[in-house]
Amino acid sequence: MSHFDAAKPKSAAAFTHKLGVVCALAAGVWLGGAEAPTKLVNIGISPFAISLAMVLGVFVARWTLPTLLKGTDFVFHDLFTRPHLIIWAVLAGALWAVANTLTVFAIRDVGLSIAFPLWNANSLVGIFWGWLLFQEMRGAGFRTVTRVLGGAFIIVIAATLLGYVTVQHNHSPHAQALHGVAAALGASLLWGTMYVPYRKAYISGMNPLSFVTVFTLGEVGTMALLAVAFGGGAAQLHRELSAARHAIFWIFLGGFCWVIGDLFQQYATKYIGIGRGIPLSNTNQLWGLAWGALVFGELDHVSTPDRWLVLLGSVMMILGAMFISTAVAPAREQDSGRDAISRECEKYGLSFEQCIATQLGHAHGQQKGRRPWWDLLIVAAAIAVFLWLGLKVQIPSLDMNFFWMGVLGAILLFAALSCGWLLWKHTRFS
């Protein structure tokens, strides 16, 4: 019997909040680490080729992980039970592809340590959409609203400070630094809006593992279109990827790791909403800073005052995100959330009780004793792709600190295993 089966509704809701917080923190660890391979843009690979290779890794992961955890039978049944959400998933994937490409430009122009805090202003966009469309914060009371808005204000100040540091003190040319800031903020806007389809899917009872399999179709299609249109055509991209085949494995791996973080973020969005889940998962800024500074030495040649400014802005953004995440939804806000679920159920003919059950992690879905043969084929194909790319891999010609790489890699594994165990034990990844 799961934890939720024996819990009273109030205690179940409280545990759901805690589980969402843990998922968001794990998402921060993995989303921060997954961007490290895009540092390869500094060895001559174009941003479009980098992003396309990363999206291919994302595509493989978004089918392999759901297949391993729930199986394709569950995924397809879940999708076709709510077919109106398929187009929303494709739209979210398209937004992600454009935003991801912008982040590669941002990293190239201003560096990983600076780009992360700027595009993490997406939490402001997410808070607005959550309030406007899904009744988050409605009836929350003065104290809770003050926490959320106060945290949002801190994030704005931090983003402004980091933008100033970037333009004034970055070693890139002034115009290039401005382009990097603009790219990071554009990614922030798109990623903040991308969570609207997420939340719409989960208040309708869809499983995150089902949502991401269709989500990736929008990613791959949009990224392929962008790469061909702006990357010099298919022939040019093929030549560039072939010339950089020794490095593609690392970018592909970055996309795969990104999906692990994104899945945790999806569960956080499901269990605690956009306004709380996104800011807390934006602790990925801390991990992005750790990879950039400790592994790649991005702050080695920065003066001490400039380092203090970067750290101050980073800490401010993290504190703002944490301030928002501690604003636990009171009873009246939970009632508003149920009203939003009821609205979706009435609009699309869904079962309100079933949607509430999935929202709390009660509904595990039907599990068959034997998996179909194509589940094994999907996993085998993913392993084959990794082996094929791994046979061509070379250590990138970048200065890296392998000790800190090992430490941060161990933290990645701990976050994935511990949070994954909690999700399986209490919700069976529902």
Side-chain angles (χ1 to χ4, degrees):
M1 180 178 292
S2 75
H3 172 92
F4 291 114
D5 294 329
K8 296 180 181 179
K10 183 176 180 179
S11 60
F15 184 82
T16 298
H17 177 84
K18 294 178 182 178
L19 182 61
V21 168
V22 171
C23 289
L25 289 173
V29 175
W30 276 88
L31 292 175
E35 281 297 328
T38 59
K39 282 286 296 181
L40 293 171
V41 74
N42 292 333
I43 65 172
I45 306 175
S46 75
F48 291 106
I50 286 278
S51 195
L52 181 60
M54 189 173 184
V55 165
L56 292 177
V58 167
F59 178 83
V60 172
R62 289 203 194 279
W63 276 95
T64 306
L65 295 176
T67 299
L68 282 171
L69 296 176
K70 297 293 281 188
T72 53
D73 283 349
F74 173 88
V75 168
F76 284 116
H77 177 269
D78 196 29
L79 288 172
F80 292 129
T81 301
R82 304 165 182 85
H84 66 282
L85 294 172
I86 293 177
I87 187 61
W88 286 96
V90 173
L91 174 61
L95 292 174
W96 185 94
V98 178
N100 188 66
T101 303
L102 289 174
T103 65
V104 180
F105 279 103
I107 291 171
R108 183 194 66 181
D109 292 342
V110 297
L112 188 64
S113 302
I114 300 298
F116 251 110
L118 292 175
W119 72 56
N120 275 353
N122 67 337
S123 58
L124 297 173
V125 182
I127 289 170
F128 171 75
W129 288 125
W131 169 81
L132 181 67
L133 300 177
F134 304 110
Q135 300 185 199
E136 295 183 13
M137 307 301 299
R138 305 287 179 90
F142 177 79
R143 182 178 180 182
T144 301
V145 171
T146 300
R147 287 183 180 181
V148 173
L149 296 182
F153 180 74
I154 293 173
I155 290 173
V156 170
I157 297 299
T160 303
L161 174 62
L162 288 165
Y164 169 79
V165 174
T166 300
V167 174
Q168 296 297 324
H169 303 287
N170 193 268
H171 293 288
S172 302
H174 184 76
Q176 183 177 339
L178 286 174
H179 292 160
V181 170
L185 292 177
S188 170
L189 177 62
L190 292 177
W191 268 333
T193 304
M194 177 187 71
Y195 295 106
V196 172
Y198 282 34
R199 188 61 173 161
K200 184 178 179 66
Y202 302 145
I203 66 173
S204 299
M206 179 171 280
N207 188 288
L209 295 171
S210 306
F211 184 81
V212 299
T213 56
V214 180
F215 182 100
T216 196
L217 299 179
E219 288 174 312
V220 173
T222 303
M223 192 60 249
L225 179 62
L226 288 172
V228 171
F230 299 104
Q236 172 63 24
L237 284 170
H238 182 267
R239 287 193 296 270
E240 192 170 0
L241 291 173
S242 297
R245 57 186 177 275
H246 61 281
I248 296 302
F249 172 83
W250 302 111
I251 309 169
F252 187 92
L253 179 63
F256 200 97
C257 292
W258 180 276
V259 171
I260 296 176
D262 183 59
L263 280 173
F264 288 136
Q265 190 177 52
Q266 300 261 5
Y267 280 106
T269 303
K270 172 182 177 178
Y271 289 130
I272 57 178
I274 301 175
R276 294 168 174 82
I278 299 175
L280 192 54
S281 66
N282 277 355
T283 53
N284 67 344
Q285 184 274 328
L286 175 64
W287 300 104
L289 180 64
W291 281 92
L294 299 176
V295 177
F296 298 111
E298 287 190 352
L299 300 183
D300 288 350
H301 304 293
V302 176
S303 65
T304 299
D306 294 349
R307 291 187 185 184
W308 281 111
L309 286 174
V310 171
L311 290 174
L312 175 61
S314 301
V315 170
M316 287 178 63
M317 185 164 285
I318 294 169
L319 288 176
M322 294 295 290
F323 197 38
I324 295 170
S325 69
T326 57
V328 180
R332 289 184 62 188
E333 186 182 355
Q334 293 179 31
D335 291 340
S336 296
R338 283 188 284 271
D339 290 341
I341 295 175
S342 178
R343 181 187 62 195
E344 292 292 305
C345 292
E346 291 178 3
K347 186 175 182 179
Y348 297 107
L350 303 173
S351 168
F352 177 76
E353 291 75 15
Q354 181 69 16
C355 288
I356 290 293
T358 58
Q359 188 71 25
L360 294 175
H362 290 189
H364 300 163
Q366 297 296 323
Q367 298 289 334
K368 294 185 176 180
R370 183 184 297 272
R371 296 287 188 93
W373 62 268
W374 52 82
D375 282 14
L376 298 177
L377 181 62
I378 290 173
V379 176
I383 295 174
V385 170
F386 268 102
L387 290 175
W388 179 66
L389 292 174
L391 291 175
K392 305 179 181 191
V393 71
Q394 296 178 13
I395 300 241
S397 56
L398 293 172
D399 292 331
M400 294 181 287
N401 187 310
F402 290 98
F403 169 77
W404 282 112
M405 183 182 293
V407 171
L408 293 174
I411 294 174
L412 285 174
L413 290 176
F414 174 78
L417 293 175
S418 58
C419 186
W421 179 79
L422 285 173
L423 282 171
W424 177 82
K425 179 180 179 182
H426 297 291
T427 74
R428 296 297 189 271
F429 296 105
S430 67

